[in-house]
Amino acid sequence: MSARTGTRCDRTAAWKQLQAHYAETGRAFDVREAFAAEGAARFEALSESAPHVFADLSKNRIDARTEELLLALARESGLEAHRDAMFAGEPINGTEDRAVMHFLLRAPADAVTTRKAELAEVHATLDAMLAYAEAVRADHTITDVVNIGIGGSDLGPQMAVLALDAFTAPGKRFHFVSNVDGHELAGVLKGLAPEHTLFVIASKTFTTAETLANAQSAKRWFTQSGGVDVARHFAALTTNVEAARAFGIEKTFGFWDWVGGRYSLWSAIGLPIALAIGAEGFRQMLAGAHAMDEHFRTTPLAQNLPVRLGLLDVWYRNFHGFTSRSIAPYHSALKRLPAYLQQLEMESNGKQVDASGAPLPFGTSPVLWGEPGTNGQHAYFQMLHQGTDVIPLEFVAVREATHDLEGHHAKLLANALAQAQALMVGQVDEGGHKNFPGNRPSTFFVLDQLTPASLGAFLAMYEHRVFTSGALWGINSFDQWGVELGKVLARDIEPRLASGDVAGLDPSTAGLLQRLR
């Protein structure tokens, strides 16, 4: 049964008003004309400061009336009530009858909450995990940490460790293995020595097929390469302590069923992050995320950054019909941010039915993709500027660099600013080939520095943005049934690769199976 109590967005009066507004002014809206009419006031009205994050929305195809109607849509859809239900610990994940409380993972120990018992458990686990991380960081015989997980047990920790490289202690190298393709694990292992390696096995149930296959192979390599004391060189992030112990692992850290995989880097799944940046750095990341939680929970909708972003997403997806959004982080350390955000948004909101199971008559999650700037400028920006599809682009820029290479950072920031400007203003060329239509929408995020706190705030902002659009669409953003069918079929197909049995398979799958044998 659904735990959603609001009104689906397309059933509100504001939805009809937005349709009329789009037909009247939205379809032909030109950002350049808006700036000519409004001047600097447009930038002031359509930018927002939140904890650690500044966002400029002024180059988007919106105006005050658009936001007014979108805010009405949010209120009529019950966004505030749904948000409050999440923070109260109500089971808003209706298909699994679970609360959604990843925000509790970053709440301080003395936070005011109705979930005091859960918060106490969170901090007991956090303290134990961080104490272990500090012990490993002080152990100079451990030079390599290999995280073995998949999905949220890989994307979040990997993204954050790379992003916070400037804060990583020297003497430790971090490796991430997720793919069941043995080439990935083999490539990591060939550069390691068992006596200097710690393996972190991340699987909530300790049954994830890809993770267990890699873990078994890692253990086999460890023992065959002369490694001793599996208990010292393997740790598990799991709730299935019994299975971990049967594997030979004694050091385990658990988490709870109200923590979804794509929201789990704040939990014990974040152990690799803590190993990299230390206990204090990890707590700063949690504090940054908590500050954004409080912004989302308490700030009026009109000044609430995640809400404004989520409403913009609905405007673009359901009225303009944009099916894709690109993100370009202008910081090389954020190279895995697009992949992380892909899972966060597309696994959360890539749904075709609402929370009651009724088919949706409108689009939900856009395709999210991207690469770091300036690399993307020499790859896909051609399409963003001159292609036939309009694809909103998001820039992430960091004001201060952590290196001292002369001239580099100014060039980087100049490119980010110039690309956003070029997308908006365009260029007229009668010959056609050098014509840039302009009026291509973009959002520009600014972090003063890339730190554990600012990264935590930015990621939490994105979580709540996804929550906002999902709430208006009336979907359950916290299940992921779409990943299950392929797993079931893979279990049937795997033995057929050995036997050659194709009985009952469709002709295409049967033909491919025979060729792959």
Side-chain angles (χ1 to χ4, degrees), residues 418-440:
Q419 290 295 326
Q421 182 185 29
L423 285 165
M424 179 181 71
V425 301
Q427 173 179 283
V428 176
D429 172 42
E430 299 299 336
H433 294 289
K434 295 181 181 180
N435 188 69
F436 290 69
N439 198 34
R440 299 289 170 104

Side-chain angles (χ1 to χ4, degrees), residues 59 330 373-374 377 381 385 395-399 407-423 444:
K59 293 188 182 75
Y330 274 68
T374 56
Q377 295 174 201
F381 272 43
H385 285 287
F395 297 87
V396 184
V398 179
R399 187 169 61 87
H408 283 254
H409 202 58
K411 287 182 172 62
L412 180 71
L413 295 180
N415 271 274
L417 290 168
Q419 290 295 326
Q421 182 185 29
L423 285 165
F444 206 107

Side-chain angles (χ1 to χ4, degrees), residues 86 100-103 105-106 151-153 156 255 258-267 269 340 343-345 347-349 459-460 462-467 476-480:
M86 178 181 73
V100 175
M101 298 195 296
H102 47 275
F103 62 88
L105 298 170
R106 53 241 191 175
S153 299
F255 46 109
W258 42 261
V259 181
R262 54 192 173 275
Y263 300 91
S264 66
L265 70 84
W266 321 100
S267 72
I269 290 295
Y340 172 78
Q343 186 197 20
L344 176 61
E345 185 151 1
E347 193 170 75
S348 294
N349 286 350
L459 299 180
Y462 236 94
E463 290 177 352
H464 299 317
R465 168 193 195 158
V466 169
F467 176 95
N476 180 1
S477 297
F478 301 100
D479 62 12
Q480 53 281 326

